[in-house]
Amino acid sequence: MTRPIRLGMVGGGNDAFIGAVHRIAARIDGQFDLVAGALSSTPAKAQASGAALGLDPARTYDDFKAMAIREARLKDGIEAVAIVTPNHVHYPAAREFLKRGIHVICDKPLTSNLPDARKLAKAVESSEALFILTHNYTGYPLMRQARQMVADGALGDIRVVQVEYPQDWLTEAQDGDNKQAAWRTDPARSGAGGSTGDIGTHAFNLACFVSGLTPEALSADLQSFVAGRQVDDNAHVMLRFQGGARGMLWCSQVAPGNENALKLRVYGSKGGIEWAQENPNQMLFTEFGKPTQILTRAGSGMGAAFEDLTRTPGGHPEGYLEAFANLYAQTADVIRAHTPGASLPSDPPLPGISDGLAGVQFVDACVTSSRKNAGWVSLG
């Protein structure tokens, strides 16, 4: 068996949500071995979190810069690092590892603001290390299938893209004990976008990933419905794509009855597809004038190219964690294949720095547009 890649982690300490998800995804296929971490900005919590994960105390660090410096010097130092902190730490943390040649796997959005996103893009360009952004919904087998169907012309010329991502967990003001809510509603840590940055970037990325379209302008109407909230908790966005296609995006964290209801619909001149993340093992495909088909993960009609993205036979559901694991497994493949100076392979289609920069540009444009009474803002 191929030796697991030595992985470090920045953030993701005790009580963190996304850090645990990354750790599960990284080890599902046995491709990574977590050996070091700077798991919290609080030294005591960092040490306690490292101990809870069974890390060597000598490789449990109080800050990410010290970790980057020492790990780069160790003979058996980390080969890749997962950055799973609040948004405002993404750029400074990624920079320290990139400049030392350590591959970076970063949670989305890329950064909390556009200037940092542009600086990080330059840091990636200057580094010989790879940079992967974990837009995990692109790891679902049926989303890879949908992307291929669009590319193959099964839907014809794309005309309309509709994507929505409603949640309800921020319907009311949260107390200070909810750490996930605290940083996501703090513009100093999340950035100017609230729901647009947290879940809108996922919806935007998935719409572009599947449709293959390039957005050129948007008009956004953002709201902060909860009194005193400093970032948006609901957004309605109209999109114009190069070539004439149109799109609509809705993201909300104040929509009671919705837990994690990401949905995508793409319509072309020949047909359309519809997929919902809460039922990820099925996708509807309708050729114009014909009955609707139900395509299933690992089922009849599934492209053979995507068989490696499934782990169980059809009818045995796979979901969020497995999709996340697909990104980690493919990241391991490209790390092993990587040589200094080589570019990220186009196959597999892993999200990278350009996707991250586009996501932050999306948030920045949404905020700007909304301040201009939903005026159209260029994404060029």
Side-chain angles (χ1 to χ4, degrees), residues 24-31 139-141 281 297-298 306-314 316-330:
I24 293 169
R27 66 174 180 259
I28 279 180
D29 297 303
Q31 300 276 27
Y140 277 104
N281 293 277
R297 180 203 59 79
F306 309 112
E307 291 177 354
D308 290 344
L309 298 177
T310 66
R311 296 166 183 80
T312 60
H316 296 271
E318 292 185 5
Y320 179 78
L321 294 173
E322 290 85 355
F324 224 119
N326 285 336
L327 294 193
Y328 264 93
Q330 293 185 326

Side-chain angles (χ1 to χ4, degrees), residues 249-266:
L249 183 154
W250 171 46
C251 61
S252 181
Q253 292 175 312
V254 293
N258 291 281
E259 294 178 340
N260 213 61
L262 173 62
K263 296 178 182 177
L264 176 69
R265 294 175 288 273
V266 182

Side-chain angles (χ1 to χ4, degrees), residues 143-206:
M143 289 297 88
R144 298 289 181 89
Q145 171 86 0
R147 173 187 168 96
Q148 190 63 54
M149 290 171 66
V150 170
D152 290 344
L155 277 64
D157 296 328
I158 302 304
R159 295 171 171 173
V160 176
V161 180
Q162 295 183 319
V163 63
E164 62 184 60
Y165 199 158
Q167 300 174 332
D168 65 4
W169 71 291
L170 292 178
T171 295
E172 298 179 339
Q174 303 293 311
D175 60 38
D177 292 334
N178 189 330
K179 296 179 181 179
Q180 298 300 316
W183 77 259
R184 283 178 169 82
T185 56
D186 176 7
R189 290 180 283 177
S190 69
S195 65
T196 49
D198 193 27
I199 56 177
T201 49
H202 269 314
F204 177 75
N205 173 263
L206 192 65

Side-chain angles (χ1 to χ4, degrees), residues 5 79-80 98 100-104 124-132 330-348 350:
I5 293 167
E79 298 160 276
L98 286 169
R100 293 174 174 85
I102 296 171
H103 304 299
V104 173
V124 172
E125 184 179 356
S126 301
S127 176
E128 294 183 343
L130 295 169
F131 181 91
I132 307 297
Q330 293 185 326
T331 295
D333 290 340
V334 298
I335 286 175
R336 293 190 177 102
H338 181 69
T339 56
S343 60
L344 183 65
S346 58
D347 185 19
L350 289 166

Side-chain angles (χ1 to χ4, degrees), residues 159-296:
R159 295 171 171 173
V160 176
V161 180
Q162 295 183 319
V163 63
E164 62 184 60
Y165 199 158
Q167 300 174 332
D168 65 4
W169 71 291
L170 292 178
T171 295
E172 298 179 339
Q174 303 293 311
D175 60 38
D177 292 334
N178 189 330
K179 296 179 181 179
Q180 298 300 316
W183 77 259
R184 283 178 169 82
T185 56
D186 176 7
R189 290 180 283 177
S190 69
S195 65
T196 49
D198 193 27
I199 56 177
T201 49
H202 269 314
F204 177 75
N205 173 263
L206 192 65
C208 297
F209 178 83
V210 171
S211 72
L213 298 174
T214 300
E216 61 181 13
L218 62 75
S219 168
D221 184 19
L222 275 54
Q223 296 80 40
S224 300
F225 280 117
V226 174
R229 184 163 288 163
Q230 300 180 66
V231 295
D232 62 85
D233 50 27
N234 188 84
H236 298 87
V237 185
M238 292 191 294
L239 296 163
R240 292 175 178 168
F241 295 97
Q242 292 179 11
R246 294 295 187 261
M248 292 188 293
L249 183 154
W250 171 46
C251 61
S252 181
Q253 292 175 312
V254 293
N258 291 281
E259 294 178 340
N260 213 61
L262 173 62
K263 296 178 182 177
L264 176 69
R265 294 175 288 273
V266 182
Y267 303 105
S269 57
K270 294 181 180 179
I273 56 174
E274 180 174 345
W275 178 82
Q277 196 269 157
E278 291 184 342
N279 185 23
N281 293 277
Q282 293 187 353
M283 179 172 68
L284 302 182
F285 170 50
T286 306
E287 295 182 81
F288 179 65
K290 297 182 180 180
T292 296
Q293 303 176 51
I294 301 176
L295 305 181
T296 61

